[in-house]
Amino acid sequence: MKARDLIPHVKNVTGIKVFGRVKRVVGLMIESKGPSTFIGEMCWIHVKSNGIVKKIRAEVVGFKDDDVILMPYQNIQDIAPGSLVEATGSTLEVKVGHALKGKVLNSLGEPLDQSPLPIGLTSVPIDQDPPNPLSRPPINETLEVGIKAIDGLLTVGKGQRLGIFAGSGVGKSTLMGMIAKNTSADINVIALIGERGREVREFIERDLGPEGLARSIVIAATSDQPALMRIKAAYTATAVAEYFRDRGLNVLFMMDSVTRIAMAQREVGLAIGEPPATKGYTPSVFAILPRLLERTGTNHLGSITSFYTVLVDGDDMNEPIADTVRGILDGHFVLDRNLANKGQYPAINVLKSVSRLMNHLVDPAHSESANKVREKLSAYLQSEDLINIGAYKKGSSKDIDDAIIMYPKIIEFLKQPTEDKVPITTTTMRLQSLAQGG
């Protein structure tokens, strides 16, 4: 073979590959000497298990002097001092496409039932920048969710971002399932983060159902998985939603829950030496939340209407994560434990909830009816104690007299069985009739 014939082969040679070596492992943190790498880069840690060499996936999360700090995506029990660390030169990417509808994936975009990925999918990076503010068209079109309390009193627009704030066991998963089944969006992307293992299948089969799953892609990371897997589940789900938005679709995106993402990021931050700040949450928690939540919404191609659940400790709506998320989003629904205890489902406290875009989305008649219903509900609740003990005398206040008459009808309007879907036109007619005393 002549020398010139070797030139193409020489050009294809990648050169010498430099590996690092594990120096120490402390808790969740893996410290290695080398290789040359960058923040967010995927690495492989080569380990031996029962005489078999295997690779553990990890990500570069920081540096300490000349050492690389990595966090693992899986169990680290086989890692030993001197284990080889191989840099891949790229960040995490997942494969996305319409063929994923009906699939349940892990944080890495792999089917949880261990079936092969469909062919014809497109690779996308999971960490992307939010859309340019000037590329976001105004939200002026209503998204129907089929729930009277929301469509009537807390109307949602296509591309709006909302929070669902609640303590444990107040009906967040049930409400999410109702929205996913009833919505008029083109496709659902649902992220279940930090859930108990049994709850994933229960949500899919009981709350979402076959009809909802058929038009959904679910990404799940249970509470037993490493902190990095729980964080990446949020990024992966957001990237999947962005893929469909960029193809002109109206996407419904739901994430349960932001609180568990914050807890996972706190684990990572503390492990790499960040100082604890508010209630033990590290500064990186409050840095990633706006970046993550701002990625959804509208762009010039399509929209992502998003619902983020926030698990509030002790029903404290002013705890740090709830307060931060409320300031980022375009509205919030508060699920009230007292309403749930009374058997009112969905347990949305419409007086504490707000959709910041409702007045821009509905006609004046709808807005006026909603305001009147809120006023009567508020008037009744402010005098409820007096009414219950018989201290209020009929005729003392016309507003309270009207509120006493309307209150049972308002509660009946707000209640809805999980299997019911009410068209928004029917909801609007009932709301206007209710506001007129009917």
Side-chain angles (χ1 to χ4, degrees), residues 24 26-31 39-40 59-65 67-72 227-228 231 264-276 282-285 288:
R24 67 172 183 161
V26 180
L28 302 174
M29 182 185 69
I30 303 166
E31 222 174 280
I39 294 288
E59 182 177 313
V60 178
V61 295
F63 303 98
K64 184 178 180 182
D65 298 327
D67 296 335
V68 179
I69 301 174
L70 304 114
M71 297 288 281
L228 204 59
I231 296 168
Q265 182 61 37
R266 177 172 62 184
E267 288 181 43
V268 173
L270 292 173
I272 63 176
E274 278 191 84
T282 57
S284 62
V285 173
I288 71 162

Side-chain angles (χ1 to χ4, degrees), residues 9-309:
H9 300 284
V10 172
K11 285 183 178 179
N12 290 330
V13 173
T14 56
I16 299 171
K17 196 170 192 66
V18 178
F19 290 83
R21 287 191 179 273
V22 171
K23 188 175 177 182
R24 67 172 183 161
V25 177
V26 180
L28 302 174
M29 182 185 69
I30 303 166
E31 222 174 280
S32 77
K33 197 71 178 175
S36 179
T37 184
F38 57 88
I39 294 288
E41 183 174 358
M42 292 288 304
C43 292
W44 294 106
I45 301 175
H46 297 251
V47 300
K48 279 188 179 180
S49 178
N50 297 323
I52 300 172
V53 177
K54 65 177 185 179
K55 297 193 289 187
I56 293 176
R57 196 191 304 251
E59 182 177 313
V60 178
V61 295
F63 303 98
K64 184 178 180 182
D65 298 327
D66 292 331
D67 296 335
V68 179
I69 301 174
L70 304 114
M71 297 288 281
Y73 280 88
Q74 57 203 86
N75 201 311
I76 62 173
Q77 64 184 12
D78 295 317
I79 296 177
S83 295
L84 294 179
V85 179
E86 177 188 358
T88 63
S90 64
T91 56
L92 181 62
E93 294 188 349
V94 294
K95 293 185 177 294
V96 192
H98 287 276
L100 289 181
K101 281 185 182 179
K103 295 280 188 183
V104 183
L105 311 174
N106 65 13
S107 305
L108 308 177
E110 302 162 342
L112 276 183
D113 60 5
Q114 298 182 341
S115 62
L117 279 170
I119 59 173
L121 302 178
T122 303
S123 291
V124 296
I126 67 167
D127 192 2
Q128 302 182 50
D129 292 328
N132 186 305
L134 296 182
S135 73
R136 292 184 185 267
I139 297 170
N140 50 26
E141 189 176 350
T142 298
L143 179 77
E144 181 179 349
V145 298
I147 299 172
K148 292 180 292 181
I150 296 176
D151 286 340
L153 298 170
L154 300 162
T155 311
V156 176
K158 289 182 180 178
Q160 190 170 353
R161 300 166 302 129
L162 297 118
I164 300 175
F165 293 74
S168 57
V170 191
K172 296 188 304 299
S173 297
T174 303
L175 179 61
M176 286 174 60
M178 289 178 70
I179 293 172
K181 286 186 289 188
N182 298 342
T183 180
S184 59
D186 299 319
I187 187 171
N188 305 324
V189 179
I190 303 170
L192 303 176
I193 298 166
E195 295 283 350
R196 302 173 187 91
R198 67 168 180 82
E199 288 180 333
V200 174
R201 185 166 180 177
E202 281 184 7
F203 172 81
I204 292 167
E205 295 183 357
R206 184 185 62 196
D207 297 323
L208 193 58
E211 177 188 353
L213 182 60
R215 56 203 299 265
S216 304
I217 300 171
V218 180
I219 293 89
T222 51
S223 58
D224 59 292
Q225 295 184 351
L228 204 59
M229 283 289 273
R230 283 175 270 147
I231 296 168
K232 293 305 175 186
Y235 283 83
T236 296
T238 306
V240 171
E242 288 170 328
Y243 171 87
F244 291 106
R245 176 185 62 188
D246 292 345
R247 276 144 189 82
L249 299 183
N250 294 313
V251 183
L252 177 71
F253 179 71
M254 290 187 287
M255 184 181 291
D256 184 15
S257 72
V258 174
T259 308
R260 294 190 177 111
I261 298 168
M263 290 177 175
Q265 182 61 37
R266 177 172 62 184
E267 288 181 43
V268 173
L270 292 173
I272 63 176
E274 278 191 84
T278 312
K279 278 201 172 180
Y281 289 104
T282 57
S284 62
V285 173
F286 302 101
I288 71 162
L289 284 179
R291 177 175 170 80
L292 179 64
L293 303 184
E294 284 288 350
R295 286 172 61 182
T296 57
T298 58
N299 69 5
H300 64 286
L301 298 169
S303 69
I304 303 174
T305 308
S306 47
F307 293 87
Y308 298 94
T309 70

Side-chain angles (χ1 to χ4, degrees), residues 339-355:
L339 297 181
N341 291 340
K342 292 177 182 178
Q344 180 181 323
Y345 287 99
I348 301 173
N349 188 325
V350 295
L351 297 181
K352 293 182 179 178
S353 305
V354 64
S355 170

